[in-house]
Amino acid sequence: MAEQVASAVKEAADGLKKVTVGDKSKPKKDKKATVAADEGQSRPLQVDPKPAYIAHRLAVFGRLKAQYDDNVKAKPRNKIDVTLPDGRVEIGTAWETTPTQIAKQISESLAKKTVIAKFNGVLWDLDRPLEESGKLELLDFEHPEGRTVFWHSSAHILGEAAEWRFGCHLCNGPPIDDGFYYDMALPESGVVQQSDLQPLDALAAKAIRENQTFERLVISKADLQDMFRENKYKQHFINDRVKDGESTTVYRCGDLIDLCRGPHVPSTGRIKAFQIMKNSASYFLGNSANESLQRVYGVSFPDKKQMVAHKKYLEEAAKRDHRKIGREQELFFFHEMSPGSCFFLPHGTRIYNTLQSFLRDEYWKRGYEEVMTPNMYNSQLWETSGHWQHYKDNMFTFKVEKEQFGLKPMNCPGHCLLFKHRERSYKELPWRVADFGVLHRNEFSGALTGLTRVRRFQQDDTHIFCTNDQITQEIEGLFDFLRTVYGAFGFSFKLKLSTRPEKFLGEIKTWDLAESKLKDALDSFTAQGGSQWEENPGDGAFYGPKIDITISDALRRDHQCATIQLDFQLPQKFELEYMTSEGTNKAKAADGSQPEGQVAEAKREGGGSGPREPPPGCARPVMIHRAIYGSFERFIAILTEHFAGKWPFWLSPRQILIIPVTVSVNEYVLEVQKVFREQMMHVDVDLSGNTMAKKIRTGQLQGYNFIFVVGPEERDKRAVNIRNRDDQSTQSKGEVVPLDVVKEKLDALRKEKRLENAM
């Protein structure tokens, strides 16, 4: 029974939309290593003796830890003030008082519940002494940052278990959205087998029972290179991320010492429920040009009841997996001849087109103008925009007649060319430009995951060119747009304002003005009944502040689809300008024939090579980047899982199926099909030789919103007998409704975009 349960959990976990096992674009397992299915079972529980590198790491750690402890003893023990979120101040001692001690002073239950601390805005180990006065927060597992730390610590436990089991070299083991994983290289290019997962669980349980303390230590680059001298993957990270003469941290729990910034839970005993979920192959650094590694996934919780609930969640998520539903409903597929590029089948294309038509209708109402732009551009365009310098590796590039070109990964530089195509006046602003053009991004093959991570996609991409004074009204209009679109799918959404980062372009006063306008628009939205917004300090794009919009689906999973970004830099890079009401563009020649490049060159700031200032009577527009769906592909994946394949009528690719009771009414069946096809509804008929019961069952499995069963009675009355997908009372024998009434009610159901499948 236990094996059946484990198998069911494995199957459910594999349905999630993370990295999949066996995808043709992923590295293939070594055939020699997989000849015997019971290879993992034939291994001893753990290697004996332990790998020599474990003893070497421990020796280096022990020596350096002793030095560190001596240094800490010499630190001055000054009194410090520790301010809690409620304003209360606790008195502590520098280099002695820990967040755990503060938590215990409040209550033992709080100390047990707390996963990690945050001190002066920085995540801090609970047992790490505080060094100065400051503000202290105590975070539990339910806090996003607390959960991330908890799963990161669990990844270290998995890493220790893997070293015990295989004697492997660890690569990296990060927390992810639904747990954690560790990449590793097994001796002799070995492969992790399904039969290895239970022993790994057992070894992880051993590490948890030992209640190993997580110990933090700052180490120089030279000592790091010595400590991990036998691990080429850690050597790569050390050389890549730690500059000469600098230091970083390692963490120890039991035999494991790992290169890690931390922080971590106090000890392994904090993990009360731990389970290995699946394994797969991966590439070092996610690059198919690098060697293949083994990846093991896990999940953990501070309470066993949470693990039980998580398994139920996995089962439901597996049922809703867009890849599974897409295959069953014949919506789309992928092929190794074009990895990461989706083939949308007729029924999937119906959904795609309906989503696009919905937006086109809204664009018409809201004053957007749709454009079409090229798929490939000369590299000079991307050099001007800055993408060539920062994004080239994510682009598909090639040479055409000795010139370097690239497929566009985004539309914004092309839209700048549209704006600059001719002279613009303030009377034309705001100019709202929409583009459904095809985009390509060179994603690593190991990262490709169904429709959620692809190489070829389309976005509901728009750019608004406006004046500074128009920013607030345009943002408020976008909030209304969001409410309309997301409301049609039953999504709620949250807003987060990301402000100026440490590294930014432009002047601070310009940033302050932009952030002020965004805050005004957000406050106005909240005052009108919208959700409360949050501020995310320092997380804006380098070229301007942004608003991130997160939707929540039927499983209460958050997805970021929409984004609203203010951009002051691209208009400057492309020297965009419009004539203001105060004057005309005096930089133009009287007859307008002077080449633009000559005008630009004459107007450079200080005679330099940077962008020129707008001539008198002209000003720079502000560019607002906006997407609501994000990519159509990813949005369709989200919708598929949100609705579990039970599409609302207006969006459904299979709206009506008509089934005859006898052959004698086949002609009427085709007549009814024609009536509803003339209403632009997706109507199929089943005139096969199958029994009526089988036809109805097949239609139910395929997810038709309504099944019309017609016989002589319905033909004579010019009516249909309706079975509603979501109304069980109609499944044995539906309601007989006149054809004209059905047509009217279904037309209303579609126009109103009702989510309930009821006429």
Side-chain angles (χ1 to χ4, degrees):
M1 179 65 182
E3 292 179 356
Q4 293 176 343
V5 172
S7 177
V9 171
K10 167 70 168 57
E11 183 180 351
D14 284 345
L16 287 177
K17 61 177 185 296
K18 299 300 171 188
V19 177
T20 56
V21 182
D23 187 294
K24 292 182 180 178
S25 64
K26 303 265 190 314
K28 294 180 174 61
K29 291 184 177 181
D30 187 339
K31 291 182 180 179
K32 293 181 181 179
T34 57
V35 170
D38 62 349
E39 179 183 340
Q41 293 175 335
S42 66
R43 284 193 182 106
L45 180 62
Q46 60 188 94
V47 293
D48 185 23
K50 295 177 181 178
Y53 62 73
I54 291 180
H56 174 71
R57 282 188 326 213
L58 291 172
V60 175
F61 185 92
R63 172 175 57 82
L64 298 175
K65 184 67 163 59
Q67 296 174 5
Y68 172 79
D69 291 341
D70 289 341
N71 289 335
V72 171
K73 288 178 183 178
K75 298 288 185 182
R77 273 21 182 201
N78 300 323
K79 294 297 180 184
I80 57 174
D81 293 336
V82 182
T83 305
L84 302 176
D86 62 2
R88 186 167 28 147
V89 177
E90 297 286 344
I91 306 301
T93 303
W95 297 98
E96 286 185 3
T97 301
T98 66
T100 293
Q101 293 171 347
I102 299 291
K104 286 182 176 180
Q105 290 175 15
I106 299 171
S107 74
E108 286 289 338
S109 61
L110 175 64
K112 291 179 180 179
K113 184 180 178 183
T114 301
V115 169
I116 199 67
K118 201 170 191 179
F119 189 65
N120 288 336
V122 178
L123 289 174
W124 197 272
D125 297 282
L126 285 173
D127 289 342
R128 178 183 171 189
L130 303 175
E131 301 168 9
E132 60 185 357
S133 295
K135 296 180 179 179
L136 178 68
E137 300 174 68
L138 301 172
L139 312 180
D140 61 16
F141 181 80
E142 298 307 316
H143 191 284
E145 290 180 296
R147 188 179 302 114
T148 296
V149 167
F150 192 91
W151 282 341
H152 188 188
S153 300
S154 301
H156 279 233
I157 295 172
L158 169 57
E160 184 176 19
E163 288 189 340
W164 282 345
R165 175 73 176 161
F166 306 116
C168 59
H169 288 299
L170 298 177
C171 181
N172 65 310
I176 53 178
D177 289 344
D178 54 356
F180 50 90
Y181 69 77
Y182 224 117
D183 281 346
M184 61 198 73
L186 273 59
E188 300 179 358
S189 300
V191 175
V192 175
Q193 302 289 344
Q194 179 71 24
S195 51
D196 285 312
L197 304 190
Q198 189 173 349
L200 283 172
D201 264 330
L203 291 169
K206 175 178 179 290
I208 291 170
R209 285 195 304 273
E210 291 175 359
N211 197 26
Q212 301 165 353
T213 301
F214 277 92
E215 299 179 84
R216 177 181 183 272
L217 186 62
V218 179
I219 301 184
S220 69
K221 182 174 183 177
D223 286 327
L224 287 169
Q225 290 170 326
D226 177 35
M227 176 179 281
F228 296 102
R229 65 189 185 188
E230 296 184 49
N231 188 319
K232 62 182 179 181
Y233 310 107
K234 301 297 182 184
Q235 289 287 341
H236 173 87
F237 294 136
I238 293 166
N239 293 326
D240 187 56
R241 300 174 184 177
V242 185
K243 296 179 181 179
D244 291 341
E246 292 187 353
S247 301
T248 192
T249 53
V250 297
Y251 276 80
R252 175 188 175 185
C253 63
D255 283 346
L256 179 73
I257 300 171
D258 207 359
L259 182 69
C260 178
R261 293 178 180 175
H264 287 283
V265 298
S267 66
T268 59
R270 289 296 189 98
I271 285 78
K272 302 301 182 184
F274 182 105
Q275 184 157 349
I276 304 297
M277 301 306 293
K278 62 179 179 179
N279 66 289
S280 74
S282 65
Y283 291 119
F284 180 51
L285 303 179
N287 189 339
S288 59
N290 294 333
E291 63 185 276
S292 178
L293 300 171
Q294 297 298 295
R295 177 173 294 181
V296 179
Y297 292 86
V299 70
S300 62
F301 296 94
D303 188 290
K304 292 181 179 179
K305 292 180 181 178
Q306 291 171 296
M307 179 66 82
V308 173
H310 181 69
K311 290 178 181 179
K312 290 181 179 178
Y313 160 81
L314 288 179
E315 292 172 1
E316 181 60 29
K319 294 175 186 175
R320 292 171 176 259
D321 189 328
H322 74 278
R323 294 165 296 185
K324 172 179 175 289
I325 293 172
R327 181 174 60 253
E328 293 171 348
Q329 296 188 357
E330 295 188 348
L331 303 178
F332 58 84
F333 71 93
F334 289 87
H335 197 280
E336 60 185 354
M337 289 296 100
S338 185
S341 300
C342 182
F343 289 78
F344 276 94
L345 295 164
H347 289 88
T349 304
R350 291 175 181 180
I351 296 172
Y352 210 106
N353 289 340
T354 302
L355 290 172
Q356 199 170 81
S357 295
F358 177 30
L359 284 182
R360 280 199 169 105
D361 290 343
E362 290 298 320
Y363 286 163
W364 181 260
K365 297 174 187 176
R366 298 169 186 273
Y368 284 78
E369 293 187 292
E370 190 174 340
V371 298
M372 299 173 68
T373 50
N375 279 355
M376 54 182 272
Y377 292 94
N378 190 292
S379 62
Q380 293 178 26
L381 177 82
W382 308 111
E383 289 169 3
T384 299
S385 68
H387 291 97
W388 197 256
Q389 297 87 322
H390 302 289
Y391 204 76
K392 180 183 176 183
D393 291 343
N394 299 97
M395 296 173 61
F396 289 100
T397 61
F398 46 89
K399 285 191 175 182
V400 178
E401 297 179 348
K402 299 182 180 181
E403 293 283 337
Q404 195 75 27
F405 278 74
L407 291 178
K408 65 178 178 182
M410 66 278 296
N411 287 307
C412 28
H415 288 183
C416 287
L417 296 185
L418 281 175
F419 188 93
K420 196 174 182 179
H421 165 65
R422 64 167 174 80
E423 202 172 72
R424 300 284 175 181
S425 166
Y426 73 96
K427 295 179 181 180
E428 298 177 70
L429 305 184
W431 190 38
R432 307 181 186 101
V433 185
D435 194 334
F436 292 119
V438 174
L439 305 176
H440 287 85
R441 293 182 184 174
N442 190 12
E443 302 282 0
F444 289 133
S445 60
L448 301 177
T449 311
L451 289 176
T452 60
R453 198 71 174 266
V454 292
R455 287 174 172 165
R456 185 268 186 204
F457 59 98
Q458 289 174 255
Q459 287 184 321
D460 62 321
D461 206 5
T462 69
H463 294 96
I464 301 173
F465 297 91
C466 64
T467 68
N468 282 323
D469 293 339
Q470 294 169 336
I471 292 175
T472 300
Q473 70 182 37
E474 288 304 306
I475 299 299
E476 289 176 350
L478 291 177
F479 290 157
D480 181 70
F481 204 161
L482 289 171
R483 201 189 327 243
T484 298
V485 172
Y486 289 153
F489 306 107
F491 289 134
S492 58
F493 62 91
K494 296 178 287 189
L495 303 169
K496 185 176 290 187
L497 172 63
S498 297
T499 57
R500 185 179 70 249
E502 287 187 14
K503 296 182 179 180
F504 63 93
L505 295 178
E507 299 180 359
I508 290 180
K509 65 178 182 180
T510 305
W511 277 82
D512 290 343
L513 175 64
E515 290 173 7
S516 174
K517 289 182 179 294
L518 290 181
K519 289 177 181 178
D520 288 344
L522 286 163
D523 288 338
S524 175
F525 175 73
T526 300
Q528 295 172 21
S531 59
Q532 293 289 333
W533 60 276
E534 300 176 22
E535 186 167 336
N536 190 14
D539 201 42
F542 68 90
Y543 52 77
K546 62 177 181 173
I547 298 173
D548 293 322
I549 299 97
T550 303
I551 60 176
S552 182
D553 69 8
L555 292 180
R556 292 183 292 181
R557 299 174 298 187
D558 288 338
H559 306 276
Q560 184 182 326
C561 297
T563 184
I564 299 171
Q565 300 180 356
L566 289 190
D567 188 348
F568 299 94
Q569 305 309 318
L570 276 187
Q572 182 174 335
K573 287 175 179 288
F574 282 92
E575 299 179 351
L576 304 185
E577 59 194 40
Y578 64 91
M579 288 187 290
T580 65
S581 58
E582 283 76 26
T584 58
N585 188 348
K586 297 180 181 178
K588 290 283 185 180
D591 60 357
S593 61
Q594 185 177 4
E596 183 180 322
Q598 293 179 19
V599 177
E601 200 62 40
K603 298 282 185 180
R604 303 290 177 191
E605 288 187 54
S609 59
R612 64 182 175 85
E613 283 293 303
C618 291
R620 293 256 188 266
V622 177
M623 192 174 182
I624 302 177
H625 303 253
R626 186 243 67 185
I628 296 179
Y629 293 163
S631 80
F632 278 80
E633 285 73 9
R634 182 167 177 265
F635 197 66
I636 288 173
I638 293 169
L639 289 176
T640 304
E641 298 182 4
H642 177 61
F643 293 122
K646 292 187 175 181
W647 302 95
F649 184 77
W650 73 272
L651 187 57
S652 177
R654 292 180 174 88
Q655 294 172 326
I656 302 168
L657 174 65
I658 310 173
I659 298 174
V661 174
T662 67
V663 176
S664 63
V665 297
N666 281 1
E667 188 175 332
Y668 179 62
V669 166
L670 295 174
E671 181 186 346
V672 174
Q673 181 189 33
K674 182 179 179 181
V675 167
F676 286 95
R677 280 187 61 83
E678 287 175 350
Q679 300 299 309
M680 302 300 290
M681 294 182 187
H682 302 307
V683 191
D684 297 317
V685 299
D686 189 345
L687 303 180
S688 69
N690 293 327
T691 65
M692 187 178 73
K694 185 173 182 180
K695 292 177 182 179
I696 292 174
R697 181 57 181 156
T698 300
Q700 290 170 336
L701 292 174
Q702 290 176 327
Y704 283 91
N705 297 72
F706 298 99
I707 297 177
F708 295 172
V709 179
V710 299
E713 177 187 357
E714 288 78 16
R715 179 193 59 195
D716 296 342
K717 293 181 178 179
R718 292 198 58 78
V720 291
N721 186 298
I722 301 176
R723 283 166 167 76
N724 184 332
R725 181 193 65 194
D726 299 341
D727 185 351
Q728 290 302 312
S729 67
T730 67
Q731 298 308 312
S732 57
K733 180 173 173 57
E735 180 184 3
V736 178
V737 184
L739 208 55
D740 290 341
V741 174
V742 176
K743 186 169 67 172
E744 181 182 338
K745 288 188 175 182
L746 288 184
D747 187 55
L749 178 61
R750 180 178 58 181
K751 286 181 178 178
E752 295 168 12
K753 294 183 173 60
R754 280 182 268 147
L755 297 176
E756 183 184 7
N757 197 59
M759 294 193 299

